[in-house]
Amino acid sequence: MMQAIRSSMAIRRGSRLLLPPRGCRLVAVNQCTTCTTGSLLTVTTPGSFILGIGRRQFSQAGRTRPDQSATTFRLFARGVYYLRIPFLVLSVYGIGYRQGIMDFSRDPLKQQKMLMDTMLAGVGCVTPDEKARVLSAGEGEWRVLLQKLRSNYELHHLQDVAGSYDDDNKHLIMMQNTAIVGEKILRAARQYVKSNLADAVKEAASRLPPESVADDTKLYEALELDEEVDGWTKARQQVHGHWQFVLIPSSIPNAFVSEMLPRRIFITTAMFEEFIASQDELALILGHEISHLILGHSSTMNSFESSYRTLEVLLLSLDPTSGLLSLAFMGFLASVRSAIGAGYSRDHERQADELGVKLCAMACYDTRAASEVMHKMHVENVESGGATANMPSFFDSHPPSDERYRSLLDESKNENPNKYEENCATLKSLFF
């Protein structure tokens, strides 16, 4: 009997016979037929219908549209969630940057002193006595200043019972050599930057239409947008101005420049005591450090660090384990950052060596003799067990010292005072 009833309630669509759910009683309301179990049978046109049982729907259109909208919204919300993280990081960085500018503008001398203390602490000069023995001489002023210091030290020597006069006198000689050589290297650096800036301007202007070259305003605006011109303009700003030469009493051999304290060349007494035996070698060291500044290596590394750390924060936010793997992931990301940063650093060192030997030659120093300072570093490194092979580690910030020494020797064949005869001519070479 039931089977007969179900057969009578069947709806034919094409050649297929579709039955309502078993046990349902159909009630026709206009074109909508309902079942007492909650199932829905909707007659749309003769021979076609949409059958829904509970939440399950067999209509393709009814099934996909709500799901697609929900999926799209979830993906959009998820994207916004992840994209906000780098913006938050950059916002925090911007707040700190502005706060730093405000602090510096309020009391620049105090901020410079704090930065100087940080620089000195980095090479082991931390005690008040050590800081008091730091020597600083300005470009073009060092002769008068050193003469005053020498007079004071000689007066102190008459009352000296500890025998420290000899060390102080050695430091004065170191300071004097640093100032003499530093001034020559700076002149060569300024000449080099000026020449390259002029070439970059000419090259950029040659790519502009004649009407832009004829109009000073348009020409200036176009040159501002040129990457090469902008790079050499920044280099010119770095090397020009009044420079200071700073000698630090320290047992750590080092020499460096810093964009945080611009126009200062720092060198430690240990660098002289362990490696530098002539003005030629000193010229190569100073030329190398100023080359880092000219080539913008510090700015490049700062940009890399900021970008990578923002990426680190974004990747850590994607941790599917809700933080369980964050510690291991953080260690992995830090290792990757160190390896990539070390690779950049090694390339920067090679570039600074190449330009440094050029500046050394332009300042009329013997580049072949100057290269021996790198050989001394290599010997010291091997004797201390720091390097027994020519292959660097992924985390080494400098190339192998032996590789650098051989590269400097090769460069010295092309970069030497003979190449710059106009600047390096002597009375003997001119008249005899």
Side-chain angles (χ1 to χ4, degrees):
M1 182 66 179
M2 181 62 69
Q3 184 67 29
I5 295 175
R6 295 186 72 245
S7 299
S8 66
M9 293 188 296
I11 298 176
R12 181 176 296 276
R13 182 183 183 187
S15 61
R16 292 186 299 167
L17 188 64
L18 302 175
L19 297 175
R22 185 178 296 274
C24 290
R25 182 170 57 85
L26 301 181
V27 179
V29 180
N30 294 331
Q31 290 185 340
C32 179
T33 306
T34 61
C35 170
T36 56
T37 61
S39 299
L40 178 65
L41 184 65
T42 303
V43 180
T44 55
T45 59
S48 65
F49 66 93
I50 300 174
L51 178 62
I53 303 176
R55 290 188 178 181
R56 187 177 181 185
Q57 300 173 357
F58 288 87
S59 168
Q60 185 67 24
R63 183 178 75 245
T64 56
R65 285 182 185 140
D67 289 349
Q68 285 180 347
S69 299
T71 302
T72 302
F73 177 77
R74 285 195 297 269
L75 291 175
F76 176 75
R78 198 68 173 172
V80 171
Y81 173 79
Y82 290 131
L83 287 176
R84 70 176 183 172
I85 295 173
F87 285 102
L88 289 174
V89 173
L90 292 176
S91 298
V92 172
Y93 174 81
I95 293 172
Y97 182 77
R98 288 193 295 271
Q99 185 62 43
I101 293 177
M102 292 172 60
D103 291 341
F104 192 86
S105 61
R106 289 192 190 103
D107 195 345
L109 294 179
K110 178 182 178 181
Q111 295 299 320
Q112 286 187 13
K113 183 180 183 303
M114 291 174 60
L115 289 172
M116 176 65 79
D117 290 341
T118 302
M119 297 288 181
L120 297 179
V123 290
C125 182
V126 293
T127 67
D129 181 60
E130 290 172 335
K131 293 179 181 179
R133 298 180 63 195
V134 173
L135 298 180
S136 178
E139 185 180 6
E141 305 169 353
W142 59 270
R143 291 177 177 84
V144 176
L145 178 61
L146 287 179
Q147 185 59 42
K148 292 180 179 179
L149 289 173
R150 190 181 298 276
S151 300
N152 292 336
Y153 283 142
E154 289 175 351
L155 178 63
H156 173 69
H157 177 55
L158 297 177
Q159 307 169 351
D160 186 20
V161 293
S164 63
Y165 173 76
D166 290 339
D167 289 338
D168 292 337
N169 194 48
K170 290 178 182 178
H171 292 177
L172 282 175
I173 296 174
M174 295 176 186
M175 183 75 258
Q176 179 177 340
N177 285 323
T178 301
I180 292 172
V181 175
E183 285 186 348
K184 293 182 179 180
I185 292 295
L186 283 171
R187 282 198 295 268
R190 288 163 181 158
Q191 179 183 352
Y192 174 79
V193 171
K194 180 181 179 180
S195 175
N196 280 273
L197 176 58
D199 292 341
V201 169
K202 291 178 182 177
E203 178 64 23
S206 67
R207 298 192 297 267
L208 298 175
E211 56 272 17
S212 296
V213 177
D215 190 323
D216 288 344
T217 302
K218 292 182 178 180
L219 177 61
Y220 182 78
E221 291 175 351
L223 292 177
E224 277 190 319
L225 299 176
D226 187 87
E227 185 177 352
E228 191 74 12
V229 173
D230 181 64
W232 287 112
T233 300
K234 291 178 179 177
R236 184 179 182 277
Q237 293 171 350
Q238 295 280 14
V239 298
H240 279 262
H242 185 73
W243 279 69
Q244 293 278 330
F245 309 104
V246 183
L247 180 70
I248 307 171
S250 171
S251 59
I252 301 174
N254 200 1
F256 57 94
V257 295
S258 173
E259 289 188 358
M260 291 191 295
L261 283 175
R263 300 178 184 86
R264 285 178 174 86
I265 299 177
F266 298 88
I267 189 167
T268 65
T269 55
M271 196 70 183
F272 283 94
E273 294 166 351
E274 297 186 24
F275 300 115
I276 297 175
S278 67
Q279 288 191 353
D280 296 315
E281 295 174 348
L282 177 59
L284 181 59
I285 295 296
L286 299 184
H288 172 93
E289 299 304 330
I290 292 177
S291 296
H292 280 303
L293 205 63
I294 293 174
L295 298 172
H297 289 163
S298 180
S299 299
T300 301
M301 289 303 295
N302 287 337
S303 299
F304 164 74
E305 285 282 340
S306 300
S307 301
Y308 191 89
R309 289 186 182 277
T310 302
L311 179 62
E312 280 184 352
V313 174
L314 179 60
L315 292 177
L316 287 173
S317 68
L318 300 176
D319 183 3
T321 63
S322 301
L324 295 178
L325 293 180
S326 291
L327 292 178
F329 199 38
M330 287 172 63
F332 171 75
L333 291 176
S335 298
V336 172
R337 183 181 71 247
S338 298
I340 296 176
Y344 275 118
S345 180
R346 289 193 296 271
D347 289 340
H348 290 169
E349 292 299 323
R350 294 186 180 99
Q351 295 169 11
D353 281 345
E354 183 178 350
L355 179 54
V357 74
K358 184 180 186 69
L359 297 180
C360 183
M362 291 177 66
C364 307
Y365 288 102
D366 186 347
T367 53
R368 173 64 181 81
S371 302
E372 292 301 316
V373 70
M374 193 58 63
H375 180 64
K376 296 176 189 177
M377 293 182 183
H378 171 66
V379 171
E380 191 276 337
N381 201 17
V382 171
E383 290 178 350
S384 63
T388 56
N390 292 329
M391 292 299 295
S393 163
F394 284 114
F395 302 101
D396 286 344
S397 60
H398 289 63
S401 49
D402 185 53
E403 173 195 318
R404 298 176 67 187
Y405 171 60
R406 288 184 279 105
S407 177
L408 288 171
L409 286 179
D410 291 339
E411 288 291 330
S412 67
K413 296 175 183 178
N414 299 320
E415 295 294 339
N416 53 65
N418 296 331
K419 182 178 179 179
Y420 306 97
E421 187 175 354
E422 294 181 0
N423 298 330
C424 303
T426 62
L427 288 176
K428 184 177 180 180
S429 63
L430 286 173
F431 297 105
F432 298 96

